[in-house]
Structure formats: C-alpha cells, structure tokens
Amino acid sequence: MQNVIIFGASGHGSVVLDCLEKEGKYNVVGFVDSYKSKGYRINGYQVLGSEIDLPYLINRFNVSGGIVAIGDNWTRKLIVDKISKVVPNFNFINTIHPKAILGKDVLLGCGNVFMPGAIVNANSIIHDFCIINTNSSLGHDGIMDSYSSLAPSVCAGGGLKLGRFSAISLGVNIINGIEIGEHAVIGAGSLVVDHFGDKIVVYGSPARIIRNRTIGEPYLSTPKKQYFSELKSLNNVQSNLSI
C-alpha cells in the first residue's frame, strides 16, 4: 500500500483516519499539523511536523500523497495552498468509507472525504476538497463545487448546485433543484425551499437570509479555526520539526 499523510490532527482528522484505515487502500504514516507540536499523538499516530517539513517527510517516509482533514472549508483551502506551495503537484487523495455509497457515473475530483453512511446518487459531480459527512445524502445530478461541505444527516434533493466554500450544516433538508452560491452557510436544521446567493448566512424552516458573512468567517467556532481564518496566508507558520 502507498504511504500517505493526514493534514490536521483534530477530531475530524480522527474520522478521516478511520475512513482510510477501513478503506484499506493506503498506509497512514502519521499526521501533519501546524497547530500541534511534533510528537503529539492522536489515535496511536504521531504528528510528524508541519506543512513546510513536507520535502523531508516525503523522503523520510516514502510518502506518495495525503489528504487534508480540516472541517472548515476556508481553512482547508489555506492548508491546500500552503502544501501546494511547498510541494507543487502534491498528490491529494480521496477517501471513501466502505459504508459510503456512490452511484452510477459519479465524477470525483481530488482531496474529497466520504464519511460512513454518505450517499452520492447517480450523475453527481464532486469537485475538489469537499466533505460529504456522516449519513448525508446528495441527490441525483447534484454538483458540489470545490471546498464545499455537507454536514452529518444533510438530505439534499436532486439537482443541488452548491457553490465554492459553502457549508450545509447538521440536519438540513433541501428540496430538488436548489442553487446555493459561494461562501454561504445554511444553519443547522433548516428547510431550504428557495435559491440563495453568495456570502450569506441562512437559517430557519423555511430558510431565510439572516445576515451577510465575510469570506473566511469561521462557522465551526474553535480557537484553531478562528486563528487560521484571520490569516491571509500560512507563510508565518513556522516548522516545529527538529532534525
């Protein structure tokens, strides 16, 4: 099996690790994380360094690729950009849990995560670095643009078009044929029966626009997400690797 690295030693990283282990296609050698110190252990695996240590880690562990396990869509983009700057043409893999279901003629980009119980129905397109979380479903002919995400137990009808960086939160139901713009967040438990545009927060049953939001504004509120959301780049994040 090919050796791979997980970027992000968090709770989401643990779930991605579980997907990779159960999928059985790759050998995980450890985590890379700019926020945790080298040697920190999670689920029996060590943090090996930060993104800028990648050239060393690739040679040391014969790494052929990896996956970014960051739940926040904008933060995931920052990490991908950093990795691509340090190692151009880095191989970003998909992981599909064996209890996920992908329908006929589904097209996939790279860097995507399909959690246990996720369903993607026929003729759908998943671009790059998307998350289809636990027990969420995307109806037939759905399109998820890059860095978008479905939280656990989302139910999206056929023909959904979800814009870049947009997040559908826990337990949202979406009727057929809906279009949602870029950098939008649909609040937990909402019922979406209308189209929505860019850079807004939407909530309710039926869902309505609550307010505007800024690009990169955290919606998974933790100190780590807030820290990274304020960065325009990761150039100032230093290595913690000692060699």
PDB file of all heavy atoms in Angstrom, residues 2 25-26 35 65 71 78 83-84 99 108 121 123 126-128 135 137 163 175 185 188 193 195 210 218 242:
ATOM      1  N   GLN A   2       0.355   2.310  -0.615  1.00  0.00           N
ATOM      2  CA  GLN A   2       1.073   3.575  -0.661  1.00  0.00           C
ATOM      3  C   GLN A   2       1.008   4.277   0.688  1.00  0.00           C
ATOM      4  O   GLN A   2      -0.008   4.234   1.384  1.00  0.00           O
ATOM      5  CB  GLN A   2       0.461   4.482  -1.733  1.00  0.00           C
ATOM      6  CG  GLN A   2       0.587   3.937  -3.148  1.00  0.00           C
ATOM      7  CD  GLN A   2      -0.095   4.841  -4.162  1.00  0.00           C
ATOM      8  OE1 GLN A   2      -1.025   5.565  -3.825  1.00  0.00           O
ATOM      9  NE2 GLN A   2       0.377   4.804  -5.391  1.00  0.00           N
ATOM     10  N   LYS A  25      -6.851   1.038   1.381  1.00  0.00           N
ATOM     11  CA  LYS A  25      -6.061   1.284   0.172  1.00  0.00           C
ATOM     12  C   LYS A  25      -4.708   1.925   0.462  1.00  0.00           C
ATOM     13  O   LYS A  25      -3.798   1.856  -0.360  1.00  0.00           O
ATOM     14  CB  LYS A  25      -6.834   2.200  -0.782  1.00  0.00           C
ATOM     15  CG  LYS A  25      -8.050   1.567  -1.411  1.00  0.00           C
ATOM     16  CD  LYS A  25      -8.832   2.576  -2.242  1.00  0.00           C
ATOM     17  CE  LYS A  25      -7.995   3.181  -3.354  1.00  0.00           C
ATOM     18  NZ  LYS A  25      -8.789   4.116  -4.200  1.00  0.00           N
ATOM     19  N   TYR A  26      -4.576   2.568   1.631  1.00  0.00           N
ATOM     20  CA  TYR A  26      -3.387   3.348   1.932  1.00  0.00           C
ATOM     21  C   TYR A  26      -2.863   3.009   3.326  1.00  0.00           C
ATOM     22  O   TYR A  26      -3.611   2.563   4.201  1.00  0.00           O
ATOM     23  CB  TYR A  26      -3.699   4.851   1.877  1.00  0.00           C
ATOM     24  CG  TYR A  26      -4.226   5.320   0.543  1.00  0.00           C
ATOM     25  CD1 TYR A  26      -5.597   5.545   0.361  1.00  0.00           C
ATOM     26  CD2 TYR A  26      -3.379   5.545  -0.535  1.00  0.00           C
ATOM     27  CE1 TYR A  26      -6.092   5.980  -0.856  1.00  0.00           C
ATOM     28  CE2 TYR A  26      -3.866   5.981  -1.755  1.00  0.00           C
ATOM     29  CZ  TYR A  26      -5.226   6.195  -1.911  1.00  0.00           C
ATOM     30  OH  TYR A  26      -5.716   6.621  -3.118  1.00  0.00           O
ATOM     31  N   TYR A  35      -0.457  23.402  14.149  1.00  0.00           N
ATOM     32  CA  TYR A  35      -1.006  23.897  15.400  1.00  0.00           C
ATOM     33  C   TYR A  35      -0.612  23.032  16.589  1.00  0.00           C
ATOM     34  O   TYR A  35      -0.668  23.479  17.725  1.00  0.00           O
ATOM     35  CB  TYR A  35      -2.527  23.962  15.280  1.00  0.00           C
ATOM     36  CG  TYR A  35      -3.229  24.765  16.338  1.00  0.00           C
ATOM     37  CD1 TYR A  35      -3.176  26.159  16.330  1.00  0.00           C
ATOM     38  CD2 TYR A  35      -3.976  24.133  17.330  1.00  0.00           C
ATOM     39  CE1 TYR A  35      -3.845  26.906  17.298  1.00  0.00           C
ATOM     40  CE2 TYR A  35      -4.645  24.872  18.297  1.00  0.00           C
ATOM     41  CZ  TYR A  35      -4.581  26.248  18.277  1.00  0.00           C
ATOM     42  OH  TYR A  35      -5.240  26.983  19.227  1.00  0.00           O
ATOM     43  N   GLY A  65       1.377  10.615  -1.116  1.00  0.00           N
ATOM     44  CA  GLY A  65       0.235  11.519  -1.191  1.00  0.00           C
ATOM     45  C   GLY A  65      -0.332  11.778   0.188  1.00  0.00           C
ATOM     46  O   GLY A  65       0.257  11.418   1.213  1.00  0.00           O
ATOM     47  N   GLY A  71     -12.085  20.527   8.865  1.00  0.00           N
ATOM     48  CA  GLY A  71     -13.528  20.631   8.665  1.00  0.00           C
ATOM     49  C   GLY A  71     -13.974  21.956   8.081  1.00  0.00           C
ATOM     50  O   GLY A  71     -14.915  21.989   7.282  1.00  0.00           O
ATOM     51  N   LEU A  78      -6.677  27.199   2.776  1.00  0.00           N
ATOM     52  CA  LEU A  78      -5.386  27.764   3.177  1.00  0.00           C
ATOM     53  C   LEU A  78      -4.321  26.678   3.309  1.00  0.00           C
ATOM     54  O   LEU A  78      -3.173  26.855   2.882  1.00  0.00           O
ATOM     55  CB  LEU A  78      -5.526  28.512   4.498  1.00  0.00           C
ATOM     56  CG  LEU A  78      -6.316  29.821   4.498  1.00  0.00           C
ATOM     57  CD1 LEU A  78      -6.388  30.380   5.915  1.00  0.00           C
ATOM     58  CD2 LEU A  78      -5.689  30.839   3.553  1.00  0.00           C
ATOM     59  N   ILE A  83       0.432  23.634   1.175  1.00  0.00           N
ATOM     60  CA  ILE A  83       1.029  22.378   0.726  1.00  0.00           C
ATOM     61  C   ILE A  83       1.491  22.497  -0.727  1.00  0.00           C
ATOM     62  O   ILE A  83       2.597  22.089  -1.080  1.00  0.00           O
ATOM     63  CB  ILE A  83       0.016  21.228   0.874  1.00  0.00           C
ATOM     64  CG1 ILE A  83      -0.309  20.988   2.348  1.00  0.00           C
ATOM     65  CG2 ILE A  83       0.537  19.940   0.222  1.00  0.00           C
ATOM     66  CD1 ILE A  83      -1.535  20.129   2.577  1.00  0.00           C
ATOM     67  N   SER A  84       0.635  23.071  -1.566  1.00  0.00           N
ATOM     68  CA  SER A  84       0.949  23.182  -2.993  1.00  0.00           C
ATOM     69  C   SER A  84       2.128  24.117  -3.240  1.00  0.00           C
ATOM     70  O   SER A  84       2.847  23.967  -4.238  1.00  0.00           O
ATOM     71  CB  SER A  84      -0.284  23.670  -3.762  1.00  0.00           C
ATOM     72  OG  SER A  84      -1.352  22.755  -3.621  1.00  0.00           O
ATOM     73  N   LYS A  99     -18.703   2.063   3.991  1.00  0.00           N
ATOM     74  CA  LYS A  99     -20.162   2.146   4.160  1.00  0.00           C
ATOM     75  C   LYS A  99     -20.758   3.375   3.485  1.00  0.00           C
ATOM     76  O   LYS A  99     -21.945   3.656   3.648  1.00  0.00           O
ATOM     77  CB  LYS A  99     -20.524   2.122   5.641  1.00  0.00           C
ATOM     78  CG  LYS A  99     -20.267   0.752   6.277  1.00  0.00           C
ATOM     79  CD  LYS A  99     -20.855   0.648   7.675  1.00  0.00           C
ATOM     80  CE  LYS A  99     -20.655  -0.758   8.231  1.00  0.00           C
ATOM     81  NZ  LYS A  99     -21.222  -0.911   9.590  1.00  0.00           N
ATOM     82  N   LEU A 108     -15.562  12.440  -9.574  1.00  0.00           N
ATOM     83  CA  LEU A 108     -14.868  12.952  -8.403  1.00  0.00           C
ATOM     84  C   LEU A 108     -13.611  13.704  -8.799  1.00  0.00           C
ATOM     85  O   LEU A 108     -12.870  13.281  -9.687  1.00  0.00           O
ATOM     86  CB  LEU A 108     -14.464  11.807  -7.470  1.00  0.00           C
ATOM     87  CG  LEU A 108     -15.560  10.877  -6.948  1.00  0.00           C
ATOM     88  CD1 LEU A 108     -14.954   9.840  -6.014  1.00  0.00           C
ATOM     89  CD2 LEU A 108     -16.653  11.658  -6.248  1.00  0.00           C
ATOM     90  N   ASN A 121     -25.765  10.187  -5.159  1.00  0.00           N
ATOM     91  CA  ASN A 121     -26.549   9.485  -6.166  1.00  0.00           C
ATOM     92  C   ASN A 121     -26.062   9.755  -7.595  1.00  0.00           C
ATOM     93  O   ASN A 121     -25.176  10.576  -7.824  1.00  0.00           O
ATOM     94  CB  ASN A 121     -28.025   9.829  -5.994  1.00  0.00           C
ATOM     95  CG  ASN A 121     -28.669   9.001  -4.897  1.00  0.00           C
ATOM     96  OD1 ASN A 121     -28.671   7.772  -4.937  1.00  0.00           O
ATOM     97  ND2 ASN A 121     -29.197   9.667  -3.884  1.00  0.00           N
ATOM     98  N   ASN A 123     -24.949  10.393 -11.395  1.00  0.00           N
ATOM     99  CA  ASN A 123     -24.656  11.538 -12.265  1.00  0.00           C
ATOM    100  C   ASN A 123     -24.259  12.806 -11.515  1.00  0.00           C
ATOM    101  O   ASN A 123     -24.280  13.902 -12.085  1.00  0.00           O
ATOM    102  CB  ASN A 123     -25.859  11.847 -13.181  1.00  0.00           C
ATOM    103  CG  ASN A 123     -26.303  10.638 -13.965  1.00  0.00           C
ATOM    104  OD1 ASN A 123     -25.482   9.880 -14.470  1.00  0.00           O
ATOM    105  ND2 ASN A 123     -27.608  10.422 -14.056  1.00  0.00           N
ATOM    106  N   ILE A 126     -18.629  15.820  -7.812  1.00  0.00           N
ATOM    107  CA  ILE A 126     -17.976  16.353  -6.618  1.00  0.00           C
ATOM    108  C   ILE A 126     -16.621  16.890  -7.063  1.00  0.00           C
ATOM    109  O   ILE A 126     -15.772  16.123  -7.506  1.00  0.00           O
ATOM    110  CB  ILE A 126     -17.776  15.268  -5.535  1.00  0.00           C
ATOM    111  CG1 ILE A 126     -19.067  14.464  -5.306  1.00  0.00           C
ATOM    112  CG2 ILE A 126     -17.266  15.896  -4.248  1.00  0.00           C
ATOM    113  CD1 ILE A 126     -20.186  15.254  -4.719  1.00  0.00           C
ATOM    114  N   HIS A 127     -16.435  18.189  -6.956  1.00  0.00           N
ATOM    115  CA  HIS A 127     -15.174  18.778  -7.403  1.00  0.00           C
ATOM    116  C   HIS A 127     -14.066  18.450  -6.394  1.00  0.00           C
ATOM    117  O   HIS A 127     -13.970  17.298  -5.985  1.00  0.00           O
ATOM    118  CB  HIS A 127     -15.363  20.275  -7.647  1.00  0.00           C
ATOM    119  CG  HIS A 127     -16.122  20.559  -8.908  1.00  0.00           C
ATOM    120  ND1 HIS A 127     -15.515  20.949 -10.076  1.00  0.00           N
ATOM    121  CD2 HIS A 127     -17.453  20.495  -9.196  1.00  0.00           C
ATOM    122  CE1 HIS A 127     -16.419  21.121 -11.028  1.00  0.00           C
ATOM    123  NE2 HIS A 127     -17.615  20.848 -10.515  1.00  0.00           N
ATOM    124  N   ASP A 128     -13.235  19.384  -5.995  1.00  0.00           N
ATOM    125  CA  ASP A 128     -12.057  19.091  -5.174  1.00  0.00           C
ATOM    126  C   ASP A 128     -12.251  19.531  -3.720  1.00  0.00           C
ATOM    127  O   ASP A 128     -12.858  20.562  -3.445  1.00  0.00           O
ATOM    128  CB  ASP A 128     -10.830  19.817  -5.735  1.00  0.00           C
ATOM    129  CG  ASP A 128     -10.523  19.432  -7.175  1.00  0.00           C
ATOM    130  OD1 ASP A 128     -10.813  18.279  -7.551  1.00  0.00           O
ATOM    131  OD2 ASP A 128      -9.996  20.288  -7.914  1.00  0.00           O
ATOM    132  N   ASN A 135     -23.794  10.044   7.152  1.00  0.00           N
ATOM    133  CA  ASN A 135     -25.234   9.900   6.864  1.00  0.00           C
ATOM    134  C   ASN A 135     -25.831  11.070   6.091  1.00  0.00           C
ATOM    135  O   ASN A 135     -27.037  11.313   6.158  1.00  0.00           O
ATOM    136  CB  ASN A 135     -26.032   9.676   8.152  1.00  0.00           C
ATOM    137  CG  ASN A 135     -25.738   8.346   8.800  1.00  0.00           C
ATOM    138  OD1 ASN A 135     -25.399   7.380   8.124  1.00  0.00           O
ATOM    139  ND2 ASN A 135     -25.844   8.285  10.112  1.00  0.00           N
ATOM    140  N   SER A 137     -26.736  12.886   2.362  1.00  0.00           N
ATOM    141  CA  SER A 137     -27.037  12.376   1.033  1.00  0.00           C
ATOM    142  C   SER A 137     -27.153  13.524   0.039  1.00  0.00           C
ATOM    143  O   SER A 137     -27.734  14.570   0.345  1.00  0.00           O
ATOM    144  CB  SER A 137     -28.328  11.548   1.040  1.00  0.00           C
ATOM    145  OG  SER A 137     -29.445  12.340   1.388  1.00  0.00           O
ATOM    146  N   GLY A 163     -22.211  26.075  -4.203  1.00  0.00           N
ATOM    147  CA  GLY A 163     -21.067  26.879  -4.605  1.00  0.00           C
ATOM    148  C   GLY A 163     -19.817  26.632  -3.775  1.00  0.00           C
ATOM    149  O   GLY A 163     -19.852  26.024  -2.692  1.00  0.00           O
ATOM    150  N   ILE A 175     -34.894  20.842  -0.864  1.00  0.00           N
ATOM    151  CA  ILE A 175     -35.750  20.275  -1.905  1.00  0.00           C
ATOM    152  C   ILE A 175     -34.992  20.221  -3.233  1.00  0.00           C
ATOM    153  O   ILE A 175     -33.894  20.764  -3.371  1.00  0.00           O
ATOM    154  CB  ILE A 175     -37.056  21.078  -2.057  1.00  0.00           C
ATOM    155  CG1 ILE A 175     -36.770  22.483  -2.604  1.00  0.00           C
ATOM    156  CG2 ILE A 175     -37.811  21.135  -0.743  1.00  0.00           C
ATOM    157  CD1 ILE A 175     -38.031  23.218  -3.039  1.00  0.00           C
ATOM    158  N   VAL A 185     -23.496  29.814   4.268  1.00  0.00           N
ATOM    159  CA  VAL A 185     -23.676  28.834   5.337  1.00  0.00           C
ATOM    160  C   VAL A 185     -25.171  28.666   5.592  1.00  0.00           C
ATOM    161  O   VAL A 185     -25.877  29.651   5.834  1.00  0.00           O
ATOM    162  CB  VAL A 185     -22.967  29.268   6.636  1.00  0.00           C
ATOM    163  CG1 VAL A 185     -23.337  28.328   7.783  1.00  0.00           C
ATOM    164  CG2 VAL A 185     -21.460  29.289   6.450  1.00  0.00           C
ATOM    165  N   ALA A 188     -28.020  24.861  10.934  1.00  0.00           N
ATOM    166  CA  ALA A 188     -28.467  23.517  11.297  1.00  0.00           C
ATOM    167  C   ALA A 188     -29.987  23.423  11.372  1.00  0.00           C
ATOM    168  O   ALA A 188     -30.662  24.316  11.879  1.00  0.00           O
ATOM    169  CB  ALA A 188     -27.856  23.112  12.630  1.00  0.00           C
ATOM    170  N   VAL A 193     -36.095  25.754   0.638  1.00  0.00           N
ATOM    171  CA  VAL A 193     -37.080  25.606  -0.430  1.00  0.00           C
ATOM    172  C   VAL A 193     -36.893  26.678  -1.502  1.00  0.00           C
ATOM    173  O   VAL A 193     -37.735  26.820  -2.384  1.00  0.00           O
ATOM    174  CB  VAL A 193     -38.518  25.671   0.131  1.00  0.00           C
ATOM    175  CG1 VAL A 193     -38.772  24.496   1.074  1.00  0.00           C
ATOM    176  CG2 VAL A 193     -38.790  26.993   0.829  1.00  0.00           C
ATOM    177  N   HIS A 195     -33.722  29.334  -3.723  1.00  0.00           N
ATOM    178  CA  HIS A 195     -32.328  29.554  -4.074  1.00  0.00           C
ATOM    179  C   HIS A 195     -31.738  30.647  -3.187  1.00  0.00           C
ATOM    180  O   HIS A 195     -32.442  31.563  -2.745  1.00  0.00           O
ATOM    181  CB  HIS A 195     -32.195  29.989  -5.536  1.00  0.00           C
ATOM    182  CG  HIS A 195     -32.884  29.069  -6.509  1.00  0.00           C
ATOM    183  ND1 HIS A 195     -32.540  27.752  -6.659  1.00  0.00           N
ATOM    184  CD2 HIS A 195     -33.897  29.297  -7.384  1.00  0.00           C
ATOM    185  CE1 HIS A 195     -33.306  27.188  -7.590  1.00  0.00           C
ATOM    186  NE2 HIS A 195     -34.141  28.107  -8.036  1.00  0.00           N
ATOM    187  N   ILE A 210     -30.362  35.426   7.117  1.00  0.00           N
ATOM    188  CA  ILE A 210     -30.228  36.028   8.444  1.00  0.00           C
ATOM    189  C   ILE A 210     -29.303  37.244   8.397  1.00  0.00           C
ATOM    190  O   ILE A 210     -29.593  38.290   8.967  1.00  0.00           O
ATOM    191  CB  ILE A 210     -29.689  34.997   9.459  1.00  0.00           C
ATOM    192  CG1 ILE A 210     -30.625  33.782   9.523  1.00  0.00           C
ATOM    193  CG2 ILE A 210     -29.511  35.628  10.830  1.00  0.00           C
ATOM    194  CD1 ILE A 210     -32.038  34.106   9.925  1.00  0.00           C
ATOM    195  N   PRO A 218     -15.275  32.118  10.309  1.00  0.00           N
ATOM    196  CA  PRO A 218     -15.441  30.750  10.818  1.00  0.00           C
ATOM    197  C   PRO A 218     -16.887  30.442  11.164  1.00  0.00           C
ATOM    198  O   PRO A 218     -17.616  31.294  11.683  1.00  0.00           O
ATOM    199  CB  PRO A 218     -14.555  30.727  12.072  1.00  0.00           C
ATOM    200  CG  PRO A 218     -14.445  32.142  12.496  1.00  0.00           C
ATOM    201  CD  PRO A 218     -14.514  32.963  11.238  1.00  0.00           C
ATOM    202  N   SER A 242      12.359  18.989  14.513  1.00  0.00           N
ATOM    203  CA  SER A 242      13.770  19.028  14.916  1.00  0.00           C
ATOM    204  C   SER A 242      14.512  17.871  14.263  1.00  0.00           C
ATOM    205  O   SER A 242      14.191  16.712  14.495  1.00  0.00           O
ATOM    206  CB  SER A 242      13.903  18.935  16.450  1.00  0.00           C
ATOM    207  OG  SER A 242      13.251  20.014  17.065  1.00  0.00           O
TER     208      SER A 242
END
